[in-house]
Amino acid sequence: LQQMNQPEKQKPESDEGISKGVNEGVNKLLIYITNNPGERIPEISKKAGVPAKTLERWIKVLRELGKIEFRGSSKTGAI
């Protein structure tokens, strides 16, 4: 993950549930989203070089764990 490999600006408040059994990509995505709130999946995909479908799967995991929430409509909303 190109930009997601940059030094961390800010760590999420608690990543205990994330670090156990969830892959590194999801952890990096959580950090990226924390540092870039409101960014849409296509933008993240382009910057990170990760397919949008992969990001959608990772985001689903984060949503199920209650680590992120969507804002706006399902078609135009941001993370």
Side-chain angles (χ1 to χ4, degrees):
L1 301 175
Q2 195 173 32
Q3 277 199 347
M4 290 183 205
N5 285 330
Q6 292 180 352
E8 299 170 10
K9 295 179 193 173
Q10 172 187 352
K11 286 195 172 196
E13 289 179 18
S14 172
D15 61 354
E16 283 181 25
I18 294 292
S19 61
K20 295 179 183 176
V22 181
N23 70 36
E24 188 176 333
V26 175
N27 289 319
K28 289 180 181 181
L29 178 60
L30 178 59
I31 293 166
Y32 184 84
I33 290 170
T34 301
N35 292 320
N36 301 279
E39 196 156 328
R40 292 174 175 82
I41 291 174
E43 297 166 340
I44 298 170
S45 176
K46 191 173 184 179
K47 290 178 182 178
V50 176
K53 285 289 185 189
T54 299
L55 291 174
E56 288 171 9
R57 282 193 304 272
W58 292 351
I59 287 168
K60 181 180 177 186
V61 170
L62 292 171
R63 285 182 69 189
E64 289 172 352
L65 292 171
K67 299 295 180 180
I68 60 171
E69 64 180 37
F70 278 93
R71 297 184 184 145
S73 72
S74 60
K75 289 189 177 187
T76 61
I79 304 169

